[in-house]
Amino acid sequence: MRHFLAEPIDMSKGFKDFFDTIGLTGSGLVTKAVAAIITVIAIRMLLQLTGDPKNALRKGSMAIGTLFVAVVLALYGDTLFGTVTDAKG
């Protein structure tokens, strides 16, 4: 008799079952994707800093702020936008 490492999971309901197994809702997955895109933009901003100290300080602080927004969105995005997607008509 074969022993499996994990029990089989019924995925007959499609994406809803998949999101339930990874612990995300559809809106949670979208906010993680948006946070990832904002992170890429912030890193690109950091890599394009110039040699001028005044300009580099301004652009660097904007990039760090953008990175902070991306981290907050990744951590708390599903909570922040949870009331928007659960509206009752």
Side-chain angles (χ1 to χ4, degrees):
M1 187 165 148
R2 294 177 64 179
H3 294 283
F4 293 101
L5 294 177
E7 293 291 323
I9 299 173
D10 180 28
M11 293 277 187
S12 61
K13 293 180 183 165
F15 285 115
K16 183 182 180 315
D17 288 334
F18 172 71
F19 290 140
D20 288 341
T21 58
I22 62 173
L24 284 176
T25 61
S27 62
L29 190 63
V30 170
T31 56
K32 299 286 189 223
V34 170
I37 292 169
I38 292 174
T39 303
V40 169
I41 292 170
I43 291 172
R44 183 173 177 251
M45 289 169 65
L46 281 172
L47 292 176
Q48 290 182 342
L49 293 178
T50 60
D52 180 30
K54 185 177 179 182
N55 196 16
L57 183 63
R58 185 177 58 85
K59 286 187 177 184
S61 63
M62 286 177 56
I64 296 296
T66 305
L67 194 58
F68 177 75
V69 168
V71 168
V72 168
L73 186 61
L75 293 175
Y76 303 112
D78 53 344
T79 306
L80 290 172
F81 298 116
T83 57
V84 176
T85 57
D86 294 336
K88 294 180 176 77

Coordinates of all heavy atoms in Angstrom, one line a residue:
M1 N 0.8 -1.2 0.0 CA 0.0 0.0 0.0 C 0.9 1.2 0.0 O 1.8 1.3 0.8 CB -0.9 0.0 1.2 CG -1.9 1.0 1.3 SD -3.1 0.6 2.5 CE -3.6 2.2 3.0
R2 N 0.6 2.2 -0.9 CA 1.4 3.4 -1.0 C 0.9 4.4 0.1 O -0.3 4.6 0.3 CB 1.2 4.0 -2.4 CG 1.8 3.1 -3.4 CD 1.5 3.7 -4.8 NE 2.3 4.9 -4.9 CZ 2.3 5.7 -6.0 NH1 1.6 5.3 -7.1 NH2 2.9 6.8 -6.1
H3 N 1.9 5.1 0.6 CA 1.6 6.2 1.6 C 1.9 7.5 0.9 O 3.0 7.7 0.3 CB 2.4 6.1 2.8 CG 2.0 4.9 3.6 ND1 0.9 4.8 4.4 CD2 2.6 3.6 3.7 CE1 0.8 3.6 4.9 NE2 1.9 2.9 4.6
F4 N 1.0 8.5 0.9 CA 1.2 9.8 0.3 C 1.6 10.8 1.4 O 1.2 10.6 2.6 CB 0.0 10.3 -0.4 CG -0.4 9.5 -1.6 CD1 -1.4 8.5 -1.6 CD2 0.3 9.7 -2.8 CE1 -1.7 7.8 -2.7 CE2 0.0 8.9 -3.9 CZ -1.0 8.0 -3.9
L5 N 2.3 11.8 1.0 CA 2.8 12.8 2.0 C 1.6 13.7 2.3 O 1.6 14.3 3.4 CB 3.9 13.6 1.4 CG 5.2 12.8 1.2 CD1 6.3 13.7 0.5 CD2 5.7 12.3 2.5
A6 N 0.7 13.9 1.4 CA -0.4 14.8 1.7 C -1.7 14.2 1.2 O -1.7 13.4 0.3 CB -0.2 16.2 0.9
E7 N -2.8 14.6 1.8 CA -4.1 14.1 1.4 C -4.5 14.8 0.1 O -4.2 16.0 -0.1 CB -5.1 14.5 2.5 CG -4.9 13.7 3.8 CD -5.2 12.3 3.7 OE1 -6.1 11.9 3.0 OE2 -4.5 11.5 4.3
P8 N -5.2 14.1 -0.7 CA -5.7 14.7 -2.0 C -6.7 15.8 -1.7 O -7.5 15.7 -0.7 CB -6.3 13.6 -2.8 CG -6.5 12.5 -1.8 CD -5.6 12.7 -0.6
I9 N -6.6 16.9 -2.5 CA -7.5 18.0 -2.3 C -8.5 18.1 -3.5 O -8.0 18.0 -4.6 CB -6.7 19.3 -2.2 CG1 -5.8 19.3 -1.0 CG2 -7.7 20.5 -2.1 CD1 -4.9 20.5 -0.9
D10 N -9.8 18.2 -3.2 CA -10.8 18.3 -4.3 C -10.7 19.7 -4.8 O -11.0 20.7 -4.2 CB -12.1 18.0 -3.7 CG -13.2 18.1 -4.8 OD1 -12.9 17.9 -6.0 OD2 -14.4 18.3 -4.4
M11 N -10.4 19.9 -6.1 CA -10.3 21.2 -6.8 C -11.4 21.3 -7.8 O -11.2 21.9 -8.9 CB -9.0 21.4 -7.4 CG -7.8 21.6 -6.4 SD -7.7 23.2 -5.8 CE -6.3 23.1 -4.9
S12 N -12.6 20.7 -7.6 CA -13.6 20.6 -8.6 C -14.3 22.0 -8.8 O -14.9 22.2 -9.8 CB -14.6 19.6 -8.3 OG -15.2 19.9 -7.0
K13 N -14.1 22.9 -7.9 CA -14.8 24.2 -8.0 C -13.8 25.2 -8.6 O -14.2 26.4 -8.7 CB -15.3 24.7 -6.7 CG -16.4 23.8 -6.1 CD -16.9 24.4 -4.8 CE -18.0 23.4 -4.2 NZ -18.2 23.7 -2.8
G14 N -12.7 24.8 -9.1 CA -11.8 25.7 -9.8 C -11.0 26.7 -9.0 O -10.4 26.3 -8.0
F15 N -11.0 27.9 -9.4 CA -10.2 28.9 -8.7 C -10.6 29.2 -7.3 O -9.7 29.5 -6.5 CB -10.2 30.3 -9.5 CG -9.4 30.2 -10.8 CD1 -10.0 30.3 -12.0 CD2 -8.0 30.1 -10.7 CE1 -9.2 30.3 -13.2 CE2 -7.3 30.0 -11.9 CZ -7.9 30.1 -13.1
K16 N -11.8 29.1 -6.9 CA -12.3 29.3 -5.6 C -11.6 28.3 -4.6 O -11.1 28.7 -3.6 CB -13.8 29.2 -5.4 CG -14.3 29.5 -4.0 CD -15.7 29.3 -3.9 CE -16.3 29.5 -2.6 NZ -15.5 29.0 -1.5
D17 N -11.5 27.1 -5.0 CA -10.8 26.1 -4.2 C -9.3 26.4 -4.2 O -8.7 26.2 -3.1 CB -11.0 24.7 -4.8 CG -12.4 24.2 -4.5 OD1 -13.0 24.6 -3.6 OD2 -12.9 23.3 -5.3
F18 N -8.7 26.8 -5.3 CA -7.3 27.1 -5.3 C -7.0 28.3 -4.3 O -6.0 28.2 -3.6 CB -6.8 27.5 -6.7 CG -5.4 28.0 -6.8 CD1 -4.4 27.1 -6.6 CD2 -5.2 29.3 -7.1 CE1 -3.1 27.6 -6.6 CE2 -3.9 29.8 -7.1 CZ -2.8 28.9 -6.9
F19 N -7.8 29.4 -4.4 CA -7.5 30.5 -3.5 C -7.8 30.1 -2.1 O -7.1 30.6 -1.2 CB -8.5 31.7 -3.9 CG -8.1 32.3 -5.2 CD1 -9.1 32.7 -6.1 CD2 -6.8 32.5 -5.6 CE1 -8.8 33.3 -7.3 CE2 -6.4 33.1 -6.8 CZ -7.4 33.5 -7.6
D20 N -8.7 29.2 -1.8 CA -8.9 28.8 -0.4 C -7.7 28.0 0.1 O -7.3 28.1 1.3 CB -10.2 27.9 -0.3 CG -11.4 28.8 -0.4 OD1 -11.4 30.0 -0.3 OD2 -12.5 28.2 -0.7
T21 N -7.1 27.2 -0.8 CA -5.9 26.4 -0.3 C -4.7 27.3 0.0 O -3.9 27.0 0.9 CB -5.5 25.3 -1.3 OG1 -5.3 25.9 -2.6 CG2 -6.6 24.3 -1.4
I22 N -4.5 28.4 -0.8 CA -3.3 29.2 -0.5 C -3.7 30.3 0.4 O -2.8 31.1 0.8 CB -2.8 29.8 -1.8 CG1 -3.8 30.7 -2.5 CG2 -2.3 28.7 -2.8 CD1 -3.2 31.5 -3.7
G23 N -4.9 30.4 0.9 CA -5.3 31.4 1.9 C -5.5 32.8 1.4 O -5.4 33.7 2.2
L24 N -5.8 32.9 0.1 CA -6.1 34.3 -0.4 C -7.4 34.3 -1.1 O -7.8 33.3 -1.7 CB -5.0 34.6 -1.5 CG -3.6 35.1 -1.0 CD1 -2.7 35.3 -2.2 CD2 -3.7 36.3 -0.2
T25 N -8.0 35.4 -1.1 CA -9.2 35.6 -1.9 C -8.8 36.2 -3.3 O -7.6 36.5 -3.4 CB -10.2 36.6 -1.2 OG1 -9.5 37.8 -1.1 CG2 -10.6 36.1 0.1
G26 N -9.7 36.4 -4.2 CA -9.3 37.0 -5.5 C -8.8 38.4 -5.3 O -7.8 38.8 -5.9
S27 N -9.5 39.1 -4.4 CA -9.0 40.5 -4.2 C -7.7 40.6 -3.5 O -6.9 41.5 -3.7 CB -10.1 41.3 -3.4 OG -10.3 40.7 -2.1
G28 N -7.4 39.6 -2.6 CA -6.1 39.6 -1.9 C -5.0 39.3 -2.9 O -3.9 39.8 -2.8
L29 N -5.3 38.4 -3.9 CA -4.3 38.1 -4.9 C -4.0 39.3 -5.8 O -2.8 39.6 -6.1 CB -4.7 36.9 -5.7 CG -3.7 36.3 -6.6 CD1 -2.5 35.7 -5.8 CD2 -4.3 35.2 -7.4
V30 N -5.0 40.1 -6.1 CA -4.8 41.3 -6.9 C -4.0 42.3 -6.2 O -3.1 42.9 -6.7 CB -6.2 41.8 -7.3 CG1 -6.1 43.2 -8.0 CG2 -6.9 40.9 -8.3
T31 N -4.3 42.5 -4.9 CA -3.5 43.5 -4.1 C -2.1 43.1 -4.0 O -1.2 43.9 -4.0 CB -4.1 43.7 -2.7 OG1 -4.2 42.5 -2.0 CG2 -5.5 44.4 -2.8
K32 N -1.8 41.8 -3.9 CA -0.4 41.3 -3.9 C 0.3 41.6 -5.2 O 1.5 42.0 -5.3 CB -0.3 39.8 -3.6 CG -0.9 39.4 -2.2 CD 0.0 39.8 -1.1 CE -0.6 39.2 0.2 NZ -0.6 40.0 1.3
A33 N -0.4 41.4 -6.3 CA 0.1 41.6 -7.6 C 0.4 43.1 -7.8 O 1.4 43.5 -8.4 CB -0.8 41.1 -8.7
V34 N -0.5 44.0 -7.4 CA -0.3 45.4 -7.5 C 0.9 45.8 -6.6 O 1.7 46.7 -7.1 CB -1.6 46.2 -7.1 CG1 -1.4 47.7 -6.9 CG2 -2.7 45.9 -8.1
A35 N 1.0 45.3 -5.4 CA 2.2 45.6 -4.6 C 3.5 45.2 -5.2 O 4.5 45.9 -5.1 CB 2.0 44.9 -3.2
A36 N 3.5 44.0 -5.9 CA 4.7 43.6 -6.6 C 5.0 44.5 -7.7 O 6.2 44.8 -7.9 CB 4.5 42.2 -7.1
I37 N 4.1 45.0 -8.5 CA 4.3 45.9 -9.6 C 4.9 47.3 -9.0 O 5.8 47.8 -9.5 CB 3.1 46.2 -10.4 CG1 2.7 44.9 -11.2 CG2 3.2 47.3 -11.4 CD1 1.4 44.9 -11.8
I38 N 4.3 47.8 -7.9 CA 4.8 49.0 -7.3 C 6.2 48.8 -6.8 O 7.0 49.7 -6.9 CB 3.8 49.5 -6.2 CG1 2.5 49.9 -6.8 CG2 4.4 50.6 -5.4 CD1 1.4 50.2 -5.8
T39 N 6.5 47.6 -6.3 CA 7.9 47.3 -5.8 C 8.9 47.4 -6.9 O 10.0 47.9 -6.8 CB 7.9 46.0 -5.1 OG1 7.0 45.9 -4.0 CG2 9.3 45.6 -4.6
V40 N 8.5 46.8 -8.1 CA 9.4 46.8 -9.2 C 9.6 48.3 -9.7 O 10.8 48.7 -10.0 CB 8.8 46.0 -10.4 CG1 9.6 46.2 -11.7 CG2 8.9 44.5 -10.0
I41 N 8.6 49.1 -9.7 CA 8.7 50.5 -10.0 C 9.7 51.2 -9.0 O 10.5 52.0 -9.4 CB 7.3 51.2 -10.1 CG1 6.6 50.6 -11.3 CG2 7.5 52.7 -10.2 CD1 5.1 51.0 -11.3
A42 N 9.5 51.0 -7.7 CA 10.4 51.6 -6.7 C 11.8 51.2 -6.9 O 12.7 52.1 -6.8 CB 9.8 51.3 -5.3
I43 N 12.1 49.9 -7.1 CA 13.5 49.5 -7.3 C 14.0 50.1 -8.6 O 15.2 50.5 -8.6 CB 13.5 48.0 -7.4 CG1 13.2 47.4 -6.0 CG2 14.9 47.5 -7.8 CD1 13.0 45.9 -5.9
R44 N 13.2 50.3 -9.6 CA 13.7 50.9 -10.9 C 14.1 52.4 -10.6 O 15.0 52.9 -11.1 CB 12.7 50.8 -11.9 CG 13.1 51.4 -13.2 CD 12.1 51.1 -14.3 NE 12.5 51.7 -15.6 CZ 11.9 52.8 -16.1 NH1 10.9 53.3 -15.6 NH2 12.4 53.3 -17.2
M45 N 13.2 53.0 -9.7 CA 13.5 54.4 -9.4 C 14.8 54.5 -8.6 O 15.6 55.5 -8.8 CB 12.4 55.0 -8.5 CG 11.1 55.2 -9.3 SD 9.7 55.6 -8.2 CE 10.1 57.1 -7.5
L46 N 15.1 53.6 -7.7 CA 16.3 53.6 -7.0 C 17.6 53.3 -7.9 O 18.6 53.9 -7.6 CB 16.3 52.5 -5.9 CG 15.5 52.9 -4.6 CD1 15.4 51.6 -3.7 CD2 16.2 54.0 -3.9
L47 N 17.4 52.5 -8.9 CA 18.5 52.2 -9.8 C 18.8 53.4 -10.7 O 19.9 53.4 -11.3 CB 18.2 51.0 -10.6 CG 18.2 49.7 -9.7 CD1 17.8 48.5 -10.6 CD2 19.6 49.4 -9.1
Q48 N 17.9 54.3 -10.9 CA 18.1 55.4 -11.8 C 18.6 56.7 -11.1 O 18.4 57.8 -11.7 CB 16.9 55.7 -12.6 CG 16.5 54.6 -13.6 CD 15.3 54.9 -14.4 OE1 14.5 55.8 -14.0 NE2 15.1 54.2 -15.5
L49 N 19.1 56.6 -9.9 CA 19.6 57.8 -9.2 C 20.8 58.4 -9.9 O 21.6 57.8 -10.5 CB 19.9 57.5 -7.8 CG 18.8 57.0 -6.9 CD1 19.3 56.7 -5.5 CD2 17.7 58.1 -6.8
T50 N 20.8 59.7 -9.9 CA 21.9 60.5 -10.6 C 23.0 60.8 -9.6 O 22.9 60.6 -8.4 CB 21.4 61.8 -11.2 OG1 20.9 62.6 -10.1 CG2 20.3 61.5 -12.2
G51 N 24.1 61.4 -10.1 CA 25.2 61.7 -9.3 C 25.1 63.1 -8.6 O 25.8 63.3 -7.6
D52 N 24.1 63.9 -8.9 CA 23.8 65.1 -8.3 C 23.2 64.8 -6.9 O 22.2 64.2 -6.8 CB 22.9 66.0 -9.1 CG 22.5 67.3 -8.5 OD1 23.4 67.8 -7.7 OD2 21.4 67.8 -8.7
P53 N 23.9 65.3 -5.8 CA 23.4 64.9 -4.5 C 22.0 65.4 -4.1 O 21.2 64.7 -3.6 CB 24.4 65.5 -3.5 CG 25.6 65.8 -4.3 CD 25.1 66.0 -5.7
K54 N 21.7 66.6 -4.5 CA 20.3 67.2 -4.2 C 19.2 66.4 -5.0 O 18.2 66.1 -4.4 CB 20.3 68.7 -4.6 CG 19.1 69.4 -4.2 CD 19.1 70.9 -4.5 CE 17.9 71.6 -4.1 NZ 17.9 73.0 -4.4
N55 N 19.5 66.2 -6.2 CA 18.5 65.5 -7.0 C 18.4 64.0 -6.6 O 17.3 63.5 -6.6 CB 18.9 65.6 -8.5 CG 17.7 65.3 -9.4 OD1 16.6 65.2 -9.0 ND2 18.1 65.0 -10.7
A56 N 19.5 63.4 -6.3 CA 19.5 62.0 -5.9 C 18.8 61.8 -4.5 O 18.1 60.9 -4.3 CB 20.9 61.5 -5.7
L57 N 18.9 62.8 -3.6 CA 18.2 62.7 -2.3 C 16.7 62.8 -2.5 O 16.0 62.1 -1.9 CB 18.7 63.9 -1.4 CG 18.1 63.9 0.0 CD1 18.5 62.6 0.7 CD2 18.6 65.1 0.7
R58 N 16.3 63.7 -3.4 CA 14.9 63.9 -3.7 C 14.3 62.6 -4.3 O 13.3 62.1 -3.9 CB 14.6 65.1 -4.6 CG 13.2 65.4 -4.8 CD 13.0 66.7 -5.6 NE 13.6 66.6 -6.9 CZ 13.1 66.0 -8.0 NH1 11.9 65.5 -8.0 NH2 13.7 66.0 -9.2
K59 N 15.0 62.1 -5.4 CA 14.4 61.0 -6.1 C 14.6 59.7 -5.2 O 13.7 58.8 -5.3 CB 15.2 60.8 -7.4 CG 14.8 61.8 -8.4 CD 15.4 61.4 -9.8 CE 14.9 62.4 -10.8 NZ 15.4 62.1 -12.2
G60 N 15.6 59.6 -4.4 CA 15.8 58.5 -3.5 C 14.7 58.4 -2.4 O 14.2 57.4 -2.1
S61 N 14.4 59.6 -1.9 CA 13.3 59.6 -0.9 C 12.0 59.3 -1.5 O 11.1 58.6 -0.8 CB 13.3 61.0 -0.2 OG 13.0 62.0 -1.1
M62 N 11.7 59.7 -2.7 CA 10.5 59.3 -3.4 C 10.4 57.8 -3.6 O 9.4 57.2 -3.5 CB 10.3 60.1 -4.7 CG 10.0 61.5 -4.5 SD 9.9 62.4 -6.1 CE 8.7 61.5 -7.0
A63 N 11.6 57.2 -4.0 CA 11.6 55.8 -4.2 C 11.4 55.0 -2.9 O 10.7 54.0 -2.9 CB 13.0 55.4 -4.9
I64 N 12.0 55.5 -1.8 CA 11.8 54.8 -0.5 C 10.4 54.9 -0.1 O 9.8 54.0 0.4 CB 12.8 55.4 0.5 CG1 14.2 55.1 0.1 CG2 12.5 54.9 1.9 CD1 14.6 53.6 0.1
G65 N 9.7 56.1 -0.3 CA 8.3 56.2 0.0 C 7.5 55.3 -0.8 O 6.5 54.7 -0.3
T66 N 7.8 55.2 -2.1 CA 7.0 54.3 -3.0 C 7.2 52.8 -2.5 O 6.2 52.0 -2.5 CB 7.5 54.4 -4.4 OG1 7.4 55.8 -4.8 CG2 6.7 53.6 -5.4
L67 N 8.4 52.5 -2.1 CA 8.6 51.1 -1.6 C 7.9 50.9 -0.3 O 7.3 49.8 -0.1 CB 10.1 50.9 -1.4 CG 10.6 49.5 -1.2 CD1 10.3 48.6 -2.3 CD2 12.1 49.5 -1.0
F68 N 7.8 51.9 0.6 CA 7.0 51.8 1.8 C 5.5 51.5 1.5 O 4.9 50.7 2.1 CB 7.2 53.0 2.6 CG 6.4 53.0 3.9 CD1 6.7 52.3 5.0 CD2 5.2 53.8 4.0 CE1 6.0 52.3 6.1 CE2 4.5 53.9 5.2 CZ 4.9 53.1 6.2
V69 N 5.0 52.3 0.5 CA 3.6 52.1 0.1 C 3.4 50.7 -0.4 O 2.3 50.0 -0.1 CB 3.2 53.1 -0.9 CG1 1.8 52.8 -1.6 CG2 3.1 54.5 -0.3
A70 N 4.3 50.1 -1.1 CA 4.2 48.8 -1.7 C 4.2 47.7 -0.5 O 3.4 46.8 -0.6 CB 5.3 48.5 -2.6
V71 N 5.0 47.9 0.5 CA 5.1 47.0 1.6 C 3.8 47.1 2.4 O 3.2 46.0 2.8 CB 6.3 47.3 2.5 CG1 6.2 46.6 3.8 CG2 7.6 47.0 1.8
V72 N 3.3 48.3 2.7 CA 2.0 48.4 3.4 C 0.9 47.7 2.6 O 0.0 47.1 3.2 CB 1.7 49.9 3.7 CG1 0.3 50.1 4.2 CG2 2.7 50.4 4.7
L73 N 0.9 48.0 1.3 CA -0.2 47.4 0.5 C -0.1 45.8 0.4 O -1.1 45.1 0.5 CB -0.1 47.9 -1.0 CG -1.2 47.5 -1.9 CD1 -2.5 48.0 -1.4 CD2 -0.9 48.0 -3.3
A74 N 1.1 45.3 0.4 CA 1.3 43.9 0.4 C 0.9 43.3 1.8 O 0.3 42.2 1.8 CB 2.8 43.5 0.2
L75 N 1.1 44.0 2.9 CA 0.8 43.4 4.2 C -0.7 43.6 4.5 O -1.3 42.7 5.1 CB 1.7 44.1 5.3 CG 3.1 43.7 5.2 CD1 3.9 44.6 6.3 CD2 3.4 42.3 5.5
Y76 N -1.2 44.8 4.2 CA -2.6 45.1 4.7 C -3.5 45.4 3.6 O -4.6 45.9 3.8 CB -2.5 46.3 5.6 CG -1.6 46.1 6.8 CD1 -0.4 46.8 6.9 CD2 -1.9 45.2 7.8 CE1 0.4 46.7 8.0 CE2 -1.1 45.0 8.9 CZ 0.1 45.8 9.0 OH 0.9 45.6 10.0
G77 N -3.2 45.1 2.3 CA -4.1 45.5 1.2 C -5.4 44.8 1.2 O -6.4 45.4 0.9
D78 N -5.4 43.5 1.6 CA -6.7 42.8 1.6 C -7.6 43.3 2.7 O -8.8 43.4 2.6 CB -6.5 41.3 1.8 CG -5.6 40.9 3.0 OD1 -4.9 41.8 3.5 OD2 -5.6 39.7 3.3
T79 N -7.0 43.8 3.8 CA -7.8 44.4 4.9 C -8.3 45.8 4.5 O -9.5 46.2 4.7 CB -7.0 44.5 6.2 OG1 -6.5 43.2 6.5 CG2 -7.8 45.1 7.3
L80 N -7.4 46.6 3.8 CA -7.8 47.9 3.4 C -8.9 47.9 2.4 O -9.8 48.7 2.4 CB -6.6 48.6 2.8 CG -5.5 49.0 3.8 CD1 -4.3 49.5 3.0 CD2 -6.0 50.1 4.7
F81 N -8.8 47.0 1.4 CA -9.8 47.0 0.4 C -10.9 45.9 0.6 O -11.7 45.7 -0.3 CB -9.2 46.7 -1.0 CG -8.2 47.8 -1.4 CD1 -6.8 47.5 -1.5 CD2 -8.6 49.1 -1.6 CE1 -5.9 48.5 -1.8 CE2 -7.8 50.1 -1.9 CZ -6.4 49.8 -2.0
G82 N -11.0 45.3 1.7 CA -12.0 44.3 2.0 C -13.4 44.9 2.1 O -14.3 44.2 1.7
T83 N -13.5 46.1 2.5 CA -14.9 46.7 2.5 C -15.3 47.1 1.2 O -16.5 47.2 0.9 CB -14.9 48.0 3.5 OG1 -13.9 48.9 3.0 CG2 -14.6 47.6 4.9
V84 N -14.4 47.4 0.2 CA -14.8 47.8 -1.1 C -15.4 46.6 -1.9 O -16.4 46.7 -2.6 CB -13.6 48.4 -1.9 CG1 -13.9 48.7 -3.3 CG2 -13.1 49.6 -1.1
T85 N -14.8 45.4 -1.7 CA -15.2 44.3 -2.5 C -16.4 43.5 -1.9 O -17.1 42.8 -2.5 CB -14.1 43.2 -2.7 OG1 -13.6 42.9 -1.4 CG2 -12.9 43.8 -3.4
D86 N -16.7 43.8 -0.6 CA -17.8 43.1 0.1 C -19.0 44.0 0.2 O -19.8 43.9 1.1 CB -17.4 42.7 1.5 CG -16.3 41.6 1.4 OD1 -16.2 40.9 0.4 OD2 -15.6 41.5 2.4
A87 N -19.2 44.9 -0.8 CA -20.3 45.8 -0.7 C -21.6 45.1 -1.0 O -21.7 44.2 -1.8 CB -20.1 46.9 -1.8
K88 N -22.7 45.5 -0.3 CA -24.0 44.9 -0.4 C -24.9 45.8 -1.2 O -25.0 47.0 -0.8 CB -24.5 44.5 1.0 CG -23.7 43.4 1.6 CD -24.3 43.1 3.0 CE -23.5 42.0 3.6 NZ -22.2 42.4 4.2
G89 N -25.5 45.3 -2.2 CA -26.4 46.2 -3.0 C -27.7 46.1 -2.6 O -28.7 46.5 -2.6

